[in-house]
């Protein structure tokens, strides 16, 4: 590599680490034009295009990169990720196997493989590889370097205190706290640590001796385990997912307060959540712009629509002003305990892939989830139900970006199944 090409590659990498992906792409392209298709610069170009969700272009750049240097494990891994995103399964599997053959210890490649195994429903095979998430470049921020050993289900916990802690988003927490009662049933004293604002939402969860929020003082403990490593500890496969719901419950005083706030029922109540955390790396695909979501929100005298999320994006404010029949509760929702209470006053919840969907599922409430093409691993592929949540129904994009047909399907289902005097039966 020439000195100039090395400089361009270094600058592109710095921009990638700063998450300035569009700038990194421009620098990488300039480096290629000046350095005559160097494999590493092509890899950086493909990596930035992956971050920008431009999978077709990324696949071209990375294929060129590995053609020059097939031993680049990172480039093979990124190529696999882009091919998986495009639904080119056989090519993707071949690429990830090449990455793992070149670097069996590459955390990013093991995580990519784990995610695809999970998406395919091969859970027991996937969980050991999924531990690599805590050592990858993007996931290492979730790792807790604690002096106590991590519990992996390999030693008895009876009579010992174990710290179980949230590591990623609120939806992940709601999904995996289902394991807390199972750990307690083995005789452990469980301390559960959740993100700020989530403690009250843990009402109804059995098994936790203490619930603390991240940043608060912790009691002494003997073992620890991140919540998303508990399926590994319990050897969870599709037939053994602990899916009894509800395992969370709303606070009665919050329910009473929200019931008074909503006032008399005027028809079937539909709770909606169209966008999640904008910092989520896949937010651009999973959140639905309100201007599109609005095709579901047809005004009707026997139907009420209520917003269940606690923030409205500036881009959605204009559409909200055009929907006076959509009840906006975002400013009054203080935490997830408010959300839980509001959920249980709805007849059905319709949500994008957000924490609201997971909370409704954990509450055992009817919830219909709108999924992008090639969704997050936990929703797997080709099924309209979820083995994690018995009261959930999934509506999937058949083509990337096609929310219109998804929303039309939901609208038809609402018309077919909702009655003005009863909850939805799943």
């Amino acid at each position: 590599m020439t000195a100039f090409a090395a400089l361009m590659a270094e600058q592109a990498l710095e921009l990638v680490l700063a998450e300035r992906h569009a700038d990194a792409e421009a620098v990488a392209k300039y480096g290629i034009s000046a350095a005559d298709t160097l494999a590493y610069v092509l890899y950086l170009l493909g990596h930035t295009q992956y971050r920008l969700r431009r999978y077709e272009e990324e696949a071209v750049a990375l294929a060129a990169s590995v053609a020059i240097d097939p031993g680049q494990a990172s480039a093979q891994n990124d190529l696999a990720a882009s091919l998986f995103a495009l639904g080119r399964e056989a090519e993707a599997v071949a690429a990830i196997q090449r990455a793992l053959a070149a670097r069996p210890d590459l955390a990013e490649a093991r995580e990519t493989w784990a995610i695809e195994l999970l998406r395919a429903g091969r859970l027991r095979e996937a969980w050991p590889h999924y531990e690599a998430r805590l050592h990858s470049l993007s996931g290492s921020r979730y790792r807790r370097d604690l002096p106590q050993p991590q519990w992996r289900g390999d030693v008895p916990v009876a009579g010992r205190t174990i710290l179980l802690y949230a590591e990623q988003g609120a939806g992940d927490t709601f999904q995996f706290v289902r394991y807390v009662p199972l750990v307690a049933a083995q005789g452990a004293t469980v301390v559960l640590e959740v993100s700020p604002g989530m403690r009250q939402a843990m009402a109804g969860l059995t098994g936790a001796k203490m619930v603390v929020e991240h940043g608060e003082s912790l009691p002494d403990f003997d073992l620890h385990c991140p919540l998303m490593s508990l399926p590994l500890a319990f050897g969870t496969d599709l037939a053994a997912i602990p899916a009894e719901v509800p395992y969370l419950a709303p606070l009665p005083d919050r329910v009473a307060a929200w019931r008074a706030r909503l006032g008399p029922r005027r028809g079937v109540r539909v709770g909606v959540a169209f966008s999640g955390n904008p910092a989520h790396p896949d937010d651009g695909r999973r959140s639905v712009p309100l201007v599109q979501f609005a095709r579901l929100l047809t005004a009707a005298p026997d139907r009420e629509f209520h917003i269940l999320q606690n923030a409205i994006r500036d881009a959605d404010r204009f559409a909200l002003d055009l929907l006076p029949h959509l009840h906006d509760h975002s400013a009054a929702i203080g935490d997830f305990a408010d959300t839980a209470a509001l959920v249980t006053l709805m007849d059905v919840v319709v949500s994008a892939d957000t924490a609201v969907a997971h909370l409704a599922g954990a509450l055992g409430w009817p919830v219909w989830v709108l999924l992008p093409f090639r969704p997050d691993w936990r929703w797997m592929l080709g099924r309209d139900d979820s083995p994690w949540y018995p009261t959930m129904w999934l509506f999937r994009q058949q083509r990337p970006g096609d929310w219109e047909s998804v929303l039309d399907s939901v609208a038809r289902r609402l018309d077919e199944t909702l009655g003005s005097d009863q909850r939805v039966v799943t």
Side-chain angles (χ1 to χ4, degrees):
M1 182 182 295
T2 66
F4 180 78
L7 177 62
M8 292 297 99
E10 181 180 349
Q11 290 184 352
L13 181 58
E14 289 178 359
L15 290 166
V16 167
L17 295 175
E19 298 191 357
R20 293 171 55 188
H21 302 301
D23 292 336
E25 180 189 26
V27 170
K29 283 183 174 179
Y30 184 56
I32 289 171
S33 67
D36 195 22
T37 62
L38 295 165
Y40 184 63
V41 183
L42 279 164
Y43 157 64
L44 287 175
L45 173 62
H47 185 81
T48 60
Q49 289 168 334
Y50 177 77
R51 296 293 181 179
L52 293 165
R53 302 294 185 261
R54 285 158 46 187
Y55 303 120
E56 293 278 5
E57 294 174 68
E58 179 211 5
V60 171
L62 291 172
S65 178
V66 300
I68 297 170
D69 183 2
Q72 290 184 93
S74 294
Q76 294 281 12
N77 171 64
D78 282 12
L79 176 60
S82 66
L83 293 170
F84 277 126
L86 293 168
R88 293 160 61 179
E89 302 285 337
E91 296 172 80
V93 169
I96 196 62
Q97 295 298 345
R98 289 193 297 268
L100 290 168
R103 284 276 308 277
D105 63 336
L106 183 62
E108 286 78 8
R110 291 189 63 208
E111 183 181 13
T112 297
W113 185 227
I115 288 171
E116 295 312 317
L117 290 171
L118 291 168
R119 192 176 274 129
R122 296 161 60 181
L123 305 190
R124 191 185 291 272
E125 186 181 351
W127 299 125
H129 292 289
Y130 194 54
E131 290 298 285
R133 74 192 184 280
L134 300 173
H135 302 280
S136 67
L137 183 63
S138 62
S140 60
R141 65 184 182 275
Y142 300 125
R143 187 175 67 246
R144 301 279 287 273
D145 293 319
L146 300 168
Q148 297 87 343
Q150 179 178 334
W151 184 63
R152 293 181 171 83
D154 49 350
V155 297
V157 292
R160 310 178 79 180
T161 298
I162 183 169
L163 171 67
L164 305 180
Y165 56 91
E167 63 175 87
Q168 297 188 31
D172 301 297
T173 302
F174 289 134
Q175 181 175 3
F176 290 101
V177 292
R178 70 183 68 219
Y179 285 91
V180 170
L182 302 184
V183 179
Q186 295 196 8
T189 298
V190 176
V191 177
L192 175 63
E193 184 190 75
V194 295
S195 301
M198 293 191 71
R199 181 183 5 233
Q200 296 299 315
M202 295 297 116
L205 180 67
T206 61
K209 180 73 172 179
M210 178 185 299
V211 180
V212 299
E213 294 187 347
H214 184 70
E216 296 179 343
S217 298
L218 294 171
D220 292 336
F221 57 92
D222 305 301
L223 301 164
H224 72 88
C225 186
L227 288 175
M228 298 179 76
S229 291
L230 288 172
L232 171 64
F234 284 92
T236 301
D237 58 19
L238 276 178
I241 291 174
E244 293 186 9
V245 295
Y247 51 87
L248 297 180
L251 294 167
D253 60 332
R254 300 286 187 103
V255 175
W258 277 101
R259 181 177 287 114
R261 182 183 182 91
L262 294 182
R265 173 187 287 271
R266 294 177 296 279
V268 172
R269 285 176 170 166
V270 181
V272 299
F274 40 87
S275 61
N277 181 359
H280 189 282
D282 212 21
D283 179 70
R285 292 195 319 120
R286 68 172 191 158
S287 291
V288 187
L290 182 54
V291 69
Q292 290 181 274
F293 198 93
R295 68 191 297 126
L296 176 67
L297 308 174
T298 304
D302 62 347
R303 195 171 296 178
E304 302 176 16
F305 293 100
H306 298 266
I307 292 178
L308 306 182
Q309 60 194 65
N310 68 349
I312 305 296
R313 303 179 185 189
D314 291 342
D316 291 328
R317 285 288 173 190
F318 173 76
L320 185 61
D321 291 340
L322 302 176
L323 300 167
H325 59 286
L326 175 58
H327 302 278
D328 179 12
H329 304 294
S330 58
I333 297 175
D335 60 14
F336 279 110
D338 279 327
T339 310
L342 195 50
V343 163
T344 59
L345 293 171
M346 300 293 110
D347 294 298
V348 65
V349 172
V350 179
S351 177
D353 180 7
T354 72
V356 173
H358 287 279
L359 177 55
L363 292 164
W365 221 252
V367 52
W368 300 352
V369 184
L370 317 181
L371 297 179
F373 183 79
R374 200 76 186 181
D376 191 79
W377 61 261
R378 72 204 71 218
W379 310 123
M380 292 182 270
L381 297 172
R383 57 190 301 164
D384 53 20
D385 66 335
S386 169
W388 296 94
Y389 300 109
T391 61
M392 182 176 286
W393 202 260
L394 307 177
F395 295 79
R396 300 174 180 270
Q397 285 183 353
Q398 299 305 308
R399 300 183 305 279
D402 179 20
W403 287 122
E404 287 74 14
S405 63
V406 173
L407 291 162
D408 287 345
S409 295
V410 175
R412 286 193 297 272
R413 182 66 61 83
L414 283 173
D415 291 338
E416 292 167 0
T417 63
L418 285 182
S420 62
D421 59 350
Q422 61 184 9
R423 282 179 51 192
V424 175
V425 177
T426 58

